[in-house]
Amino acid sequence: MKTSLLSAGLVAGLLASPALAEGLAGAPAPFDKGGVEIAVVSFLGSGDWLQAFEAGTKRQAEALGVTLTLSQARNDNDTQRNLVEQAINRGVKGIVINNGRPEVLKDVAQKALDAGIKVVAYDVDLDNPAIPQIEQSDKDMARLVLEQAIKDKGDGFTAGAVYVAGFAPLDRRYAVFKDFVETHKLTEKAVWGVVNDTVPASVADQTKAVLRANPDISVIFTPWDEFAKGVKLATDELGVSDKVKIYGVDTSTADIQLMIEPDSAWVATAATNAAVVGEVAVRAVSLAIAGQDPGHSVLLQPTLVTRDDLINNKIETIEDLQQKFPAFSASDAATASWIPAPKK
């Protein structure tokens, strides 16, 4: 099973840019000669966020004229290690590691560096000064939605959180929630969650059990949009959307559709544009390949999006959101004069 997933992920994920095979005019080596291959290895294997992220990596890779290999570990630690190993063995110039478990990836990431391959990491702290970290400012994302929750509900409400430890972005976001619990005298009644191939359905089942046992919960913090989808399924099925409100992180067109549904419980989210994150990841590793320092911390600032914002501005898609919220459509992180802007 693992072998078939690896093969399928690599074959299906290959993207070449033959039009610029001879190189990118005015670019530093090796981009001036062409033939650069970059691998993007993701821990997750599904979800709207990942689809948008990968679309962004493809756009930026096409602009740079590089060959991009996308692969997904589908939530399997050993598979992700093997995918990184395969990229090393192919002799790629750079690897983007998208999420995963630090303890699983640190040594194999160092192996890539030892082989002369540049590595950047997104949402996984590999604790290596030679590996730039691309981050969504997770603390700000959590802070924005939780401040909105306080604005909407006041201090002292009873809350629950969907959370799985060991994933850097979730850990950072949940830590902010814990601070809010203390600072605003909230009652944290329950914490639940799972990361698997059917996150929304699994979280929905868990949430229904939690809400039946704790009917006084009025706010649920979901530090990942796949969690929020599951909670919304549960609130819809239980008929408690008027009593329980969801404050999430991340967004997509599918998420926006859920938020603007009549009487939706999902009232706020904070997000960066996943496609823009993908573009920045490819730019950052490309700068490193060219011998130019993207900085150890490449930070993208989030935007607060409320259900009222979406409805009042008639926003139904990510494209609408980009038009109405310009800060959501692009980032100047990890840029250089020789790197072409991706075609939108």
Side-chain angles (χ1 to χ4, degrees):
M1 177 63 75
K2 286 180 182 176
T3 301
S4 65
L5 283 176
L6 292 175
S7 301
L10 290 172
V11 173
L14 186 64
L15 174 79
S17 302
L20 293 177
E22 295 182 358
L24 185 65
F31 295 92
D32 58 337
K33 302 297 184 184
V36 176
E37 182 182 352
I38 294 170
V40 178
V41 179
S42 298
F43 177 73
L44 301 173
S46 62
D48 297 316
W49 192 95
L50 179 62
Q51 290 179 14
F53 172 84
E54 290 186 339
T57 66
K58 290 179 182 179
R59 284 203 298 259
Q60 189 62 70
E62 288 173 341
L64 281 162
V66 305
T67 297
L68 188 72
T69 303
L70 300 175
S71 56
Q72 306 85 24
R74 302 185 185 280
N75 310 296
D76 186 274
N77 293 325
D78 290 338
T79 298
Q80 190 173 23
R81 283 181 58 87
N82 290 337
L83 288 169
V84 176
E85 291 271 10
Q86 288 191 20
I88 294 170
N89 293 337
R90 287 201 316 279
V92 303
K93 297 293 186 182
I95 300 174
V96 176
I97 296 177
N98 172 27
N99 223 300
R101 298 279 190 177
E103 65 275 14
V104 173
L105 297 166
K106 285 182 180 181
D107 63 332
V108 73
Q110 183 60 52
K111 182 177 179 180
L113 295 175
D114 293 342
I117 298 169
K118 300 300 182 182
V119 179
V120 302
Y122 172 72
D123 262 355
V124 53
D125 185 1
L126 299 179
D127 193 26
N128 190 321
I131 299 178
Q133 298 286 141
I134 301 169
E135 299 173 359
Q136 289 189 94
S137 187
D138 291 292
K139 290 182 179 180
D140 285 337
M141 297 175 95
R143 177 185 56 79
L144 285 171
V145 292
L146 291 170
E147 285 177 349
Q148 184 65 40
I150 298 300
K151 179 180 177 181
D152 293 343
K153 308 288 287 187
D155 289 352
F157 56 77
T158 300
V162 186
Y163 167 61
V164 176
F167 296 93
L170 300 185
D171 292 341
R172 289 191 289 260
R173 297 166 192 177
Y174 181 68
V176 175
F177 174 75
K178 293 295 286 185
D179 287 343
F180 268 71
V181 168
E182 181 176 347
T183 304
H184 295 277
K185 298 179 174 57
L186 311 182
T187 299
E188 183 185 49
K189 205 64 176 293
V191 181
W192 64 100
V194 65
V195 175
N196 58 21
D197 278 337
T198 58
V199 172
S202 298
V203 168
D205 290 340
Q206 292 177 327
T207 303
K208 284 185 285 186
V210 168
L211 290 179
R212 289 187 182 112
N214 302 279
D216 53 339
I217 289 177
S218 61
V219 167
I220 298 178
F221 174 58
T222 59
W224 181 27
D225 60 341
E226 296 299 300
F227 290 162
K229 291 175 185 176
V231 174
K232 186 180 181 304
L233 278 172
T235 57
D236 288 348
E237 291 180 18
L238 293 177
V240 295
S241 297
D242 58 331
K243 299 175 182 177
V244 181
K245 300 304 178 184
I246 304 165
Y247 293 81
V249 171
D250 299 329
T251 195
S252 67
T253 292
D255 295 342
I256 290 170
Q257 291 295 314
L258 292 175
M259 289 180 71
I260 63 177
E261 283 182 3
D263 303 317
S264 175
W266 191 351
V267 295
T269 194
T272 55
N273 187 331
V276 173
V277 176
E279 294 168 6
V280 170
V282 171
R283 292 202 298 266
V285 77
S286 297
L287 285 170
I289 292 168
Q292 300 176 7
D293 184 10
H296 183 65
S297 178
V298 181
L299 197 63
L300 289 85
Q301 293 298 330
T303 300
L304 175 69
V305 180
T306 68
R307 183 171 182 271
D308 288 343
D309 290 333
L310 298 174
I311 292 172
N312 293 339
N313 290 283
K314 297 181 171 57
I315 294 171
E316 298 183 358
T317 66
I318 284 291
E319 290 73 25
D320 293 342
L321 187 60
Q322 291 174 170
Q323 291 176 4
K324 302 291 177 65
F325 287 65
F328 193 75
S329 64
S331 171
D332 60 1
T335 53
S337 60
W338 59 272
I339 298 180
K343 293 181 180 179
K344 300 292 187 179

